[in-house]
Amino acid sequence: IVDGSVVKSGDLKDDQEPVVLDVDISGKKSVGFRLKYGAGAGDPVFSKKPVSGSERSTIRPVLSAPKDGSTVTGASVILRWNPVPGATSYGVSIVALKLGVDSTDGQRMWAATVNGAKTSYSLPLSDIPVGDYLWTVIAFGSKEPIGVYSAERVFTVDK
């Protein structure tokens, strides 16, 4: 999903090899993935107690730092969010929106898993080039996501 519109779609089977998605995100403001589980099963249930779609959309981490639009410098940026009840881990997604003109690194997306009740992730700025980045977080229970992704925030790396 790029800027709210589906740009690539398809079905993957459990035993299928990974698929490379080649999508131009130049000048776009948001990039995300939508996953559905189970053929014909409809939307997945993300908790032990079934919840409606509208209830599920209210279960999400709330990002706390850095503030949206912040410029970060130094050795690292610490991404922080509020805890989600029942979460055993969190998935952090970071996407390059615009890289600095001196960047030769082709990588545009980073993902990390934060285990346990920890609600922060320290991203070494040496790992990413100067530029603008969008980040979001999703909570996971013992076997599946709890709710949906957090709202998105953007930060700028300036070295």
Side-chain angles (χ1 to χ4, degrees):
I1 301 171
V2 178
D3 283 351
S5 298
V6 175
V7 294
K8 294 272 183 169
S9 184
D11 294 330
L12 295 175
K13 307 289 184 213
D14 287 342
D15 59 350
Q16 186 174 341
E17 291 295 316
V19 174
V20 174
L21 295 177
D22 185 16
V23 177
D24 181 11
I25 60 170
S26 303
K28 304 302 181 187
K29 294 182 180 180
S30 67
V31 177
F33 296 92
R34 181 180 306 147
L35 302 174
K36 285 193 172 186
Y37 303 93
D43 288 335
V45 174
F46 294 128
S47 69
K48 302 272 185 230
K49 174 186 162 226
V51 294
S52 71
S54 62
E55 289 173 310
R56 185 169 41 252
S57 67
T58 64
I59 303 171
R60 62 176 61 203
V62 175
L63 306 181
S64 58
K67 290 185 178 186
D68 196 34
S70 295
T71 297
V72 297
T73 59
S76 65
V77 58
I78 298 176
L79 307 176
R80 297 182 193 280
W81 56 92
N82 294 345
V84 171
T88 58
S89 66
Y90 296 90
V92 179
S93 298
I94 304 160
V95 178
L97 297 176
K98 182 179 177 185
L99 298 178
V101 293
D102 295 335
S103 174
T104 57
D105 186 344
Q107 186 172 353
R108 301 261 194 247
M109 181 178 273
W110 295 262
T113 300
V114 177
N115 291 317
K118 189 174 176 187
T119 56
S120 67
Y121 175 69
S122 180
L123 174 66
L125 295 185
S126 60
D127 290 355
I128 63 174
V130 169
D132 299 331
Y133 295 87
L134 177 140
W135 69 288
T136 187
V137 175
I138 190 168
F140 288 93
S142 61
K143 295 185 180 183
E144 67 271 327
I146 299 173
V148 296
Y149 276 94
S150 67
E152 301 162 338
R153 282 201 180 170
V154 174
F155 64 89
T156 300
V157 173
D158 189 12
K159 298 181 183 177

PDB file of all heavy atoms in Angstrom, residues 108-121:
ATOM      1  N   ARG A 108      16.234   0.364   1.457  1.00  0.00           N
ATOM      2  CA  ARG A 108      15.191   1.355   1.711  1.00  0.00           C
ATOM      3  C   ARG A 108      14.265   0.958   2.864  1.00  0.00           C
ATOM      4  O   ARG A 108      13.421   1.743   3.265  1.00  0.00           O
ATOM      5  CB  ARG A 108      14.326   1.543   0.461  1.00  0.00           C
ATOM      6  CG  ARG A 108      15.093   1.998  -0.749  1.00  0.00           C
ATOM      7  CD  ARG A 108      14.925   3.489  -0.880  1.00  0.00           C
ATOM      8  NE  ARG A 108      15.355   3.956  -2.184  1.00  0.00           N
ATOM      9  CZ  ARG A 108      16.405   4.737  -2.360  1.00  0.00           C
ATOM     10  NH1 ARG A 108      17.125   5.103  -1.349  1.00  0.00           N
ATOM     11  NH2 ARG A 108      16.735   5.163  -3.551  1.00  0.00           N
ATOM     12  N   MET A 109      14.396  -0.270   3.373  1.00  0.00           N
ATOM     13  CA  MET A 109      13.491  -0.717   4.429  1.00  0.00           C
ATOM     14  C   MET A 109      14.264  -1.522   5.463  1.00  0.00           C
ATOM     15  O   MET A 109      15.124  -2.326   5.106  1.00  0.00           O
ATOM     16  CB  MET A 109      12.377  -1.568   3.837  1.00  0.00           C
ATOM     17  CG  MET A 109      11.379  -2.062   4.866  1.00  0.00           C
ATOM     18  SD  MET A 109      10.054  -3.026   4.129  1.00  0.00           S
ATOM     19  CE  MET A 109       8.946  -1.709   3.712  1.00  0.00           C
ATOM     20  N   TRP A 110      13.953  -1.277   6.730  1.00  0.00           N
ATOM     21  CA  TRP A 110      14.566  -2.009   7.828  1.00  0.00           C
ATOM     22  C   TRP A 110      13.446  -2.514   8.724  1.00  0.00           C
ATOM     23  O   TRP A 110      12.428  -1.860   8.890  1.00  0.00           O
ATOM     24  CB  TRP A 110      15.488  -1.094   8.641  1.00  0.00           C
ATOM     25  CG  TRP A 110      16.667  -0.614   7.866  1.00  0.00           C
ATOM     26  CD1 TRP A 110      17.922  -1.134   7.886  1.00  0.00           C
ATOM     27  CD2 TRP A 110      16.703   0.481   6.949  1.00  0.00           C
ATOM     28  NE1 TRP A 110      18.733  -0.428   7.033  1.00  0.00           N
ATOM     29  CE2 TRP A 110      18.007   0.573   6.439  1.00  0.00           C
ATOM     30  CE3 TRP A 110      15.759   1.399   6.486  1.00  0.00           C
ATOM     31  CZ2 TRP A 110      18.405   1.524   5.516  1.00  0.00           C
ATOM     32  CZ3 TRP A 110      16.145   2.346   5.561  1.00  0.00           C
ATOM     33  CH2 TRP A 110      17.452   2.410   5.089  1.00  0.00           C
ATOM     34  N   ALA A 111      13.650  -3.678   9.309  1.00  0.00           N
ATOM     35  CA  ALA A 111      12.666  -4.243  10.232  1.00  0.00           C
ATOM     36  C   ALA A 111      13.409  -4.840  11.416  1.00  0.00           C
ATOM     37  O   ALA A 111      14.521  -5.353  11.268  1.00  0.00           O
ATOM     38  CB  ALA A 111      11.826  -5.307   9.547  1.00  0.00           C
ATOM     39  N   ALA A 112      12.807  -4.761  12.582  1.00  0.00           N
ATOM     40  CA  ALA A 112      13.417  -5.314  13.785  1.00  0.00           C
ATOM     41  C   ALA A 112      12.322  -5.881  14.669  1.00  0.00           C
ATOM     42  O   ALA A 112      11.177  -5.424  14.632  1.00  0.00           O
ATOM     43  CB  ALA A 112      14.185  -4.236  14.542  1.00  0.00           C
ATOM     44  N   THR A 113      12.681  -6.887  15.450  1.00  0.00           N
ATOM     45  CA  THR A 113      11.776  -7.442  16.445  1.00  0.00           C
ATOM     46  C   THR A 113      12.330  -7.103  17.816  1.00  0.00           C
ATOM     47  O   THR A 113      13.519  -7.291  18.077  1.00  0.00           O
ATOM     48  CB  THR A 113      11.671  -8.973  16.299  1.00  0.00           C
ATOM     49  OG1 THR A 113      11.177  -9.279  14.992  1.00  0.00           O
ATOM     50  CG2 THR A 113      10.736  -9.560  17.338  1.00  0.00           C
ATOM     51  N   VAL A 114      11.479  -6.557  18.666  1.00  0.00           N
ATOM     52  CA  VAL A 114      11.853  -6.226  20.033  1.00  0.00           C
ATOM     53  C   VAL A 114      11.109  -7.203  20.927  1.00  0.00           C
ATOM     54  O   VAL A 114       9.875  -7.209  20.960  1.00  0.00           O
ATOM     55  CB  VAL A 114      11.467  -4.764  20.373  1.00  0.00           C
ATOM     56  CG1 VAL A 114      11.793  -4.453  21.825  1.00  0.00           C
ATOM     57  CG2 VAL A 114      12.176  -3.802  19.431  1.00  0.00           C
ATOM     58  N   ASN A 115      11.835  -8.062  21.624  1.00  0.00           N
ATOM     59  CA  ASN A 115      11.224  -9.101  22.442  1.00  0.00           C
ATOM     60  C   ASN A 115      10.903  -8.620  23.847  1.00  0.00           C
ATOM     61  O   ASN A 115      11.513  -7.675  24.349  1.00  0.00           O
ATOM     62  CB  ASN A 115      12.144 -10.325  22.517  1.00  0.00           C
ATOM     63  CG  ASN A 115      12.236 -11.025  21.181  1.00  0.00           C
ATOM     64  OD1 ASN A 115      11.239 -11.204  20.500  1.00  0.00           O
ATOM     65  ND2 ASN A 115      13.434 -11.409  20.801  1.00  0.00           N
ATOM     66  N   GLY A 116       9.949  -9.295  24.466  1.00  0.00           N
ATOM     67  CA  GLY A 116       9.592  -9.019  25.842  1.00  0.00           C
ATOM     68  C   GLY A 116       8.776  -7.749  25.980  1.00  0.00           C
ATOM     69  O   GLY A 116       8.141  -7.278  25.039  1.00  0.00           O
ATOM     70  N   ALA A 117       8.833  -7.186  27.143  1.00  0.00           N
ATOM     71  CA  ALA A 117       8.032  -6.000  27.452  1.00  0.00           C
ATOM     72  C   ALA A 117       8.766  -4.707  27.088  1.00  0.00           C
ATOM     73  O   ALA A 117       8.270  -3.622  27.374  1.00  0.00           O
ATOM     74  CB  ALA A 117       7.676  -6.003  28.935  1.00  0.00           C
ATOM     75  N   LYS A 118       9.926  -4.802  26.467  1.00  0.00           N
ATOM     76  CA  LYS A 118      10.690  -3.610  26.094  1.00  0.00           C
ATOM     77  C   LYS A 118       9.898  -2.787  25.083  1.00  0.00           C
ATOM     78  O   LYS A 118       9.359  -3.324  24.119  1.00  0.00           O
ATOM     79  CB  LYS A 118      12.034  -4.034  25.510  1.00  0.00           C
ATOM     80  CG  LYS A 118      12.980  -2.909  25.291  1.00  0.00           C
ATOM     81  CD  LYS A 118      14.341  -3.432  24.855  1.00  0.00           C
ATOM     82  CE  LYS A 118      15.244  -2.265  24.559  1.00  0.00           C
ATOM     83  NZ  LYS A 118      16.500  -2.692  23.974  1.00  0.00           N
ATOM     84  N   THR A 119       9.827  -1.482  25.288  1.00  0.00           N
ATOM     85  CA  THR A 119       9.042  -0.614  24.408  1.00  0.00           C
ATOM     86  C   THR A 119       9.909   0.470  23.779  1.00  0.00           C
ATOM     87  O   THR A 119       9.509   1.631  23.676  1.00  0.00           O
ATOM     88  CB  THR A 119       7.872   0.020  25.184  1.00  0.00           C
ATOM     89  OG1 THR A 119       8.394   0.708  26.308  1.00  0.00           O
ATOM     90  CG2 THR A 119       6.857  -1.029  25.607  1.00  0.00           C
ATOM     91  N   SER A 120      11.100   0.063  23.357  1.00  0.00           N
ATOM     92  CA  SER A 120      11.971   0.985  22.636  1.00  0.00           C
ATOM     93  C   SER A 120      12.927   0.183  21.762  1.00  0.00           C
ATOM     94  O   SER A 120      13.154  -1.009  21.992  1.00  0.00           O
ATOM     95  CB  SER A 120      12.760   1.870  23.603  1.00  0.00           C
ATOM     96  OG  SER A 120      13.679   1.091  24.353  1.00  0.00           O
ATOM     97  N   TYR A 121      13.445   0.857  20.769  1.00  0.00           N
ATOM     98  CA  TYR A 121      14.424   0.247  19.861  1.00  0.00           C
ATOM     99  C   TYR A 121      15.469   1.299  19.535  1.00  0.00           C
ATOM    100  O   TYR A 121      15.131   2.410  19.119  1.00  0.00           O
ATOM    101  CB  TYR A 121      13.743  -0.247  18.581  1.00  0.00           C
ATOM    102  CG  TYR A 121      14.715  -0.766  17.557  1.00  0.00           C
ATOM    103  CD1 TYR A 121      15.408  -1.947  17.769  1.00  0.00           C
ATOM    104  CD2 TYR A 121      14.949  -0.064  16.381  1.00  0.00           C
ATOM    105  CE1 TYR A 121      16.308  -2.419  16.829  1.00  0.00           C
ATOM    106  CE2 TYR A 121      15.839  -0.529  15.433  1.00  0.00           C
ATOM    107  CZ  TYR A 121      16.523  -1.714  15.668  1.00  0.00           C
ATOM    108  OH  TYR A 121      17.420  -2.181  14.741  1.00  0.00           O
TER     109      TYR A 121
END
